Amino acid sequence: MKLSLARVAALGAAALLSIGLAACSSATASDTGSAAAGTFAVDDQTLVFGVVPDSVDTQTNYQPLMDYIAKETGKKVEYHESTDYAALIEAAVAGKIDVASFSGFTYVTALNNGAKITPISSIITVKGQEPGYYSEAIVPKDSSITKIEEFKGKKVCFVDPSSTSGYLFPSYNLLEAGIDPEKDITPVFAGKHDVSVTKTAEGVECEAGFAEDSEVEKNDGVKVIDRTMVPGAPIVESDSLPADVKEKLEKALSEVTIDQIIDSGVKSADSDAFRATFYGTSPVDDAYYDTIRDICKKTNAKQCQA
């Protein structure tokens, strides 16, 4: 059988194209690593640990945990402090963090916006405790306010529009009390839990407020008039990390106690400051945060939207 010159040329071109595409594919895999190998936010020797500084002690509180991650993975752990919850979400979506401590609300919002992350565990502060903490409604200690219904018409401190215990759950509780958090009060966003507590205690910028229990208990200038349990904040990992790194992170962080961290050789964990904020971790999965998804629907919070 004879082939025309045109047919020969066409076959030759197709062969060359196939070779060229294969070469390009090989070059790409060599430059960036195959999908199976995974990718890092910075490089394969570094894990970027993302947080939102919701109190003045944020980096100090997380340092022992970062030291433990470094020991268990053999990687340098780089502290990445986002300016606010929205910035942490953006960093997750852009693949600029490898591991992070989110709030439950921030985690759900990040997923809604395209972040590829998976929860590993949540921090607990007391042995036997279930993951979770309290969003507390507070007023100055000498205030006559005794219930949330009396927040109507007041200047109310929140933490951040993307805060779970500092805005989402408070918004839901206000709506349940017949108060529109956007129309019936004057919202004041303090930026951090401890600042929300301080401003509420002073009673000038805020006549009432909300914050997480761990910060409220540090200030005797406020009193708690209501509280709601919030799903525990997740420690998450980037789905793009190599499988072996994710395996090490999950083994290290899924269920570990402070004593086990200290026994592993992490001396920074042996401190009263770390013990005050960390007893251990407890495993959580994505379904654990369905409560937050339900409240997003009930409050119609725009921060929940993609």
Side-chain angles (χ1 to χ4, degrees), residues 233-248:
I235 298 173
V236 306
E237 64 183 358
S238 169
D239 293 349
S240 69
L241 287 169
D244 64 319
V245 176
K246 289 191 286 186
E247 184 178 351
K248 288 177 182 178

Side-chain angles (χ1 to χ4, degrees), residues 98-242:
D98 298 304
V99 191
S101 177
F102 276 75
S103 70
F105 188 18
T106 310
Y107 163 69
V108 170
T109 305
L111 287 185
N112 289 345
N113 282 275
K116 304 300 182 184
I117 52 178
T118 298
I120 299 174
S121 60
S122 182
I123 292 172
I124 58 175
T125 58
V126 179
K127 183 179 181 179
Q129 179 187 48
E130 291 296 317
Y133 58 103
Y134 286 98
S135 168
E136 297 189 329
I138 55 177
V139 295
K141 64 179 181 181
D142 58 356
S143 173
S144 61
I145 296 173
T146 60
K147 54 186 179 181
I148 287 183
E149 285 80 0
E150 296 172 7
F151 281 20
K152 190 169 185 177
K154 305 297 185 184
K155 295 177 288 184
V156 179
C157 256
F158 297 99
V159 177
D160 180 280
S162 295
S163 171
T164 311
S165 60
Y167 187 71
L168 181 64
F169 275 70
S171 294
Y172 174 74
N173 289 335
L174 287 169
L175 287 169
E176 289 290 289
I179 300 172
D180 188 322
E182 295 184 351
K183 298 178 180 178
D184 297 333
I185 60 171
T186 301
V188 178
F189 291 103
K192 297 181 180 180
H193 287 274
D194 54 347
V195 179
S196 180
V197 177
T198 299
K199 287 182 181 293
T200 302
E202 292 168 350
V204 179
E205 289 185 65
C206 301
E207 299 164 276
F210 295 92
E212 70 172 66
D213 54 353
S214 63
E215 294 299 330
V216 172
E217 66 186 19
K218 298 176 184 177
N219 193 315
D220 59 7
V222 297
K223 59 183 179 182
V224 178
I225 63 163
D226 203 355
R227 63 196 324 229
T228 304
M229 177 63 82
V230 175
I235 298 173
V236 306
E237 64 183 358
S238 169
D239 293 349
S240 69
L241 287 169

